[in-house]
Amino acid sequence: MQQIGDKAPRFRVPALIQGAMTYIDSALFQGRWVALCFPPSLGLIESVFLDRQSEAFSKADATLLATIPDTPTLLSSWCSQFGKLRVPLLADPLGRLRRSYGMARTSRAARCQTFLIDPAGLFRFHLVHDLNGRGMAAILEIVGASQRPDTRCSVGSRHRSAGLSSQAQTPVLATQPSAHRGDR
């Protein structure tokens, strides 16, 4: 399990980028903030949503990467329906990337998990959230606050003032059960 401040695991995985399958290496993102997103499922709607979010991450001087949660989605018929998405979709057919971030390969998460990696390649934050505008806004808020050293301690107070739920205020590690009221 990754701990805050640990070196983020390096990866080289197949990826769907701009409609073409290629390989992507995490070294390409050295010097940038990276939000590595593990959605519970990845269909056309989720992919288009993440693609639209990638522009907001670019404006925040960060890169959004999304993982493809299962191997059957690597089929060419699946890949062709997306066209030229801006957000890189990372394939993890052997589950190595998931395991290196402390996630079980066989269990499917009910919620999205996003890991933030700083420009030095260090693991900085892990957020369990819903794959929606509110969850992505929370991640962008954390990235913005982390980029400004004078505001690192005020992330939670800014979430409360923005009207975000308490779930978006507190990071939840993958080994901890969610305490969110709506998960029953």
Side-chain angles (χ1 to χ4, degrees):
M1 173 58 105
Q2 291 293 310
Q3 299 294 319
I4 302 296
D6 286 353
K7 187 80 172 158
R10 185 165 178 191
F11 58 83
R12 182 170 165 25
V13 295
L16 180 64
I17 302 174
Q18 295 289 318
M21 285 301 287
T22 186
Y23 277 86
I24 196 166
D25 192 312
S26 59
L28 292 172
F29 306 106
Q30 190 71 23
R32 287 187 60 84
W33 280 90
V34 174
L36 180 58
C37 183
F38 291 88
S41 63
L42 192 66
L44 184 58
I45 293 170
E46 294 87 0
S47 298
V48 170
F49 173 76
L50 288 167
D51 190 54
R52 289 183 180 159
Q53 297 298 313
S54 68
E55 186 175 331
F57 278 86
S58 291
K59 287 179 182 176
D61 198 27
T63 300
L64 175 63
L65 303 173
T67 60
I68 299 170
D70 48 21
T71 305
T73 55
L74 292 175
L75 300 172
S76 61
S77 61
W78 183 87
C79 294
S80 66
Q81 71 180 330
F82 296 110
K84 297 190 178 209
L85 297 174
R86 292 170 295 214
V87 62
L89 300 178
L90 309 181
D92 189 21
L94 300 176
R96 290 181 182 150
L97 188 56
R98 294 180 71 78
R99 285 192 308 272
S100 68
Y101 280 87
M103 300 171 64
R105 174 155 165 57
T106 56
S107 68
R108 198 160 198 165
R111 300 179 74 197
C112 190
Q113 295 190 45
T114 300
F115 297 85
L116 291 180
I117 303 163
D118 73 9
L122 301 176
F123 173 61
R124 289 295 173 199
F125 206 85
H126 176 204
L127 186 69
V128 175
H129 59 94
D130 293 322
L131 187 59
N132 59 24
R134 179 177 272 176
M136 299 311 278
I139 294 165
L140 282 167
E141 181 82 18
I142 294 163
V143 168
S146 297
Q147 291 171 342
R148 295 181 304 272
D150 58 323
T151 60
R152 285 188 185 193
C153 295
S154 64
V155 174
S157 63
R158 290 189 12 209
H159 284 299
R160 283 188 290 279
S161 67
L164 295 179
S165 70
S166 61
Q167 178 64 28
Q169 297 171 23
T170 308
V172 179
L173 296 178
T175 57
Q176 296 175 336
S178 176
H180 192 263
R181 287 183 283 248
D183 289 346
R184 292 180 208 177

